[in-house]
Amino acid sequence: MSSRMQITLVAGILIAIGLGLTLYKRFELGFPLLPGERQDVWTLESKITFSPTAGPVEISMALPEQRAGWILLDEHYASSGFGFSIDRAADGSRQAKWTRQSLDRPTTLYYKLQTYRADEFGLGASPVPDIVLPELADDRRAAMTRVVANLRERSSGPVSFTSLLLQQLVNDNMDQDAAFLFADYEAGRFGVIMDVLAFAGIPAQRVKGVFLEDGRRRQQMSTLVEVFDGGRWYLFNPRTAQPGLPDNFFVWERGERFILDIIGGKSSQLEFALVKNTLPVKTVLSMEQESSDKLMLDFSIYALPVEQQGMFKGLLLIPVGALVVVIMRVLVGIRTSGTFMPILIALAFIQTTLLTGLFIFLLVVGAGLWIRSYLSHLNLLLVARITAVVILVILLMAALSIVSYKLGYNQALTVTFLPTIILSWTIERMSILWEEEGPREVLIQGGGSLLAAVLAYLVMTVELIEHLTFNFPELMIALLGVVLLLGKYTGYRLTELYRFRYLRKDWQ
């Protein structure tokens, strides 16, 4: 059997397997083929890490309730080797408890839930907490009195008082008394806000939760401030001074209760991993794992921890970008500076946005080529030269981030997503190409690389492509079959048809 026949047979089998598994998941397991067929469902996985001390260990964590239109679907707990229970208080609040007699090594516990936003609801009523005046030294008490008096004079009630206070902090236009209070204070910035409100006689409480950002790992708990004006509660984001509940904020706990309490442990940390999908999560995750016709669920992306799911959401787009590069090089005939560089640049564009990424790429590579031309006159060894270019590229990125931040262009801060090593190798290869082939060849390969990267970015950011690659990774098997078929292509490329267009006229 010829190699062409073998490749065709293997590619056909791979394509059939990939499409067959995709159709099975679609019709047997109910996975949606199109984005938007299901409600967006968020998976939040909390990770509790701590180091034990001597004696029994008891870990308590407050569990979220259905608030502000968020509906809880399923909850899962990982408590291997621990006793586990869920306690419900008289007010309806829940608390998860892990207990163990002794522990001799650092440990990680997990709690995972699925939730979705059904409607736009407020937080509703809540008991008004008692106002506890802060204990302050004489100098801080005097400064607090002046700050509160100043804010009262310029406000009309608790809501406008809180808004003015937060705007001062966000805009960094505090007077001397406010700056004195917020400098080197044990309670922290948020603690000072709560003390000022208490000193002003305004009932306030914390609202703890998580800002939902798809694919985020190691997300920390955030806190909003809620004030009572005598009739209803008003919510503010202390980081932005914006009123109201943010659309992407999942409320975990309302009030002054601690989220995490550990007895018999130290160095505790609570982190969250987040991922969004459109699957009917309640139906899928509650299926019986021992059922033979649902065995694929045990080996799907959704069987991984949420932190790894978010990582794979980006990695599974790489084969799509690679297919674009293969088509551009094999069928179109575009020359690029390497095979992987356009794919990695496209991934960086996803993080930086296209126009910002193009500007940063051209600026860094242009400056790197100029620096590299100077280094070539120093006759350095290859390893030392490459290392010098890497260091200079990182310095250029740091300088660009600082300058852009000072100018107010925060989008350029995503410069760190550009692959530094690939940029350094690109600069080195283009410099060598410049010396051997001239600037024309550098422009051809550099322009081809950018063209392939832009096209890969446009394909990888299509909502349907993102949905299919994450929910149907089996399509990568079919994609492999297509790449194998393209690897045996020996016909004319599009650029060659244009190159030899005059020969065609002579034949006629």
Side-chain angles (χ1 to χ4, degrees), residues 3-302:
S3 62
R4 181 178 294 275
M5 184 63 68
Q6 292 181 31
I7 289 294
T8 303
L9 180 61
V10 172
I13 294 174
L14 292 175
I15 293 174
I17 292 175
L19 294 179
L21 291 175
T22 299
L23 293 175
Y24 172 79
K25 290 179 68 174
R26 170 64 184 92
F27 294 105
E28 292 296 326
L29 303 182
F31 281 60
L33 272 178
L34 298 177
E37 288 186 10
R38 301 289 189 271
Q39 174 72 45
D40 286 340
V41 178
W42 287 91
T43 303
L44 290 79
E45 183 179 75
S46 62
K47 182 171 65 173
I48 306 169
T49 57
F50 68 96
S51 298
T53 57
V57 178
E58 180 177 319
I59 302 97
S60 301
M61 185 177 72
L63 298 180
E65 304 294 339
Q66 298 191 146
R67 296 188 181 95
W70 288 96
I71 305 299
L72 302 184
L73 295 176
D74 284 312
E75 297 174 297
H76 301 269
Y77 310 86
S79 54
S80 178
F82 283 79
F84 177 76
S85 63
I86 297 179
D87 298 338
R88 185 176 292 274
D91 60 356
S93 61
R94 300 179 304 146
Q95 191 175 55
K97 284 191 176 182
W98 291 269
T99 57
R100 184 162 174 164
Q101 186 62 34
S102 61
L103 194 64
D104 57 0
R105 64 184 183 279
T107 302
T108 301
L109 300 174
Y110 293 92
Y111 163 70
K112 181 168 69 174
L113 65 89
Q114 287 80 38
T115 183
Y116 72 93
R117 188 75 174 267
D119 294 291
E120 298 290 338
F121 291 135
L123 290 179
S126 175
V128 180
D130 296 330
I131 297 176
V132 179
L133 294 178
E135 296 182 2
L136 302 172
D138 293 339
D139 54 348
R140 291 192 175 276
R141 179 176 294 276
M144 181 80 75
T145 302
R146 290 191 291 269
V147 168
V148 170
N150 185 15
L151 290 172
R152 276 178 174 166
E153 184 179 352
R154 295 186 293 122
S155 62
S156 59
V159 177
S160 58
F161 182 98
T162 306
S163 179
L164 288 173
L165 173 63
L166 297 181
Q167 287 176 14
Q168 282 188 359
L169 299 181
V170 172
N171 299 327
D172 198 19
N173 60 351
M174 296 180 289
D175 56 22
Q176 292 183 350
D177 292 321
F180 173 71
L181 288 177
F182 283 92
D184 190 26
Y185 192 72
E186 295 180 358
R189 189 182 184 93
F190 195 91
V192 177
I193 294 174
M194 300 299 289
D195 285 348
V196 172
L197 294 175
F199 198 86
I202 299 175
Q205 64 183 7
R206 306 169 193 256
V207 176
K208 308 178 190 71
V210 181
F211 281 98
L212 301 178
E213 300 178 34
D214 190 20
R216 280 295 300 270
R217 294 176 287 171
R218 299 181 179 179
Q219 177 82 304
Q220 301 292 325
M221 184 80 73
S222 300
T223 306
L224 307 181
V225 60
E226 194 175 27
V227 297
F228 189 71
D229 72 341
R232 54 169 291 194
W233 288 96
Y234 290 86
L235 202 62
F236 290 89
N237 186 345
R239 293 185 177 180
T240 62
Q242 292 296 320
L245 181 66
D247 293 336
N248 64 333
F249 188 80
F250 176 75
V251 177
W252 195 282
E253 178 65 25
R254 188 183 186 191
E256 301 303 314
R257 188 172 61 142
F258 287 107
I259 298 292
L260 183 64
D261 186 21
I262 294 181
I263 300 175
K266 61 180 181 180
S267 304
S268 61
Q269 192 170 12
L270 177 61
E271 297 176 334
F272 297 88
L274 314 170
V275 68
K276 181 179 71 173
N277 57 69
T278 57
L279 286 176
V281 178
K282 183 176 181 180
T283 302
V284 173
L285 294 182
S286 62
M287 291 178 178
E288 295 291 336
Q289 295 296 317
E290 60 270 17
S291 179
S292 60
D293 62 337
K294 300 174 180 61
L295 184 61
M296 282 189 62
L297 290 175
D298 288 333
F299 300 96
S300 69
I301 295 295
Y302 292 95

Side-chain angles (χ1 to χ4, degrees), residues 426-489:
T426 300
I427 294 170
E428 178 67 18
R429 291 182 60 177
M430 286 185 175
S431 299
I432 296 175
L433 193 64
W434 190 301
E435 295 171 357
E436 295 179 351
E437 304 290 340
R440 181 175 180 275
E441 189 65 22
V442 172
L443 291 176
I444 291 175
Q445 292 194 18
S449 298
L450 277 183
L451 176 60
V454 170
L455 292 176
Y457 162 82
L458 294 176
V459 174
M460 293 162 68
T461 52
V462 174
E463 185 181 4
L464 178 61
I465 299 297
E466 294 179 343
H467 174 80
L468 290 177
T469 54
F470 184 70
N471 293 290
F472 300 94
E474 300 78 18
L475 287 174
M476 299 300 105
I477 302 176
L479 194 64
L480 175 59
V482 173
V483 171
L484 293 179
L485 290 177
L486 290 175
K488 296 297 291 184
Y489 178 77

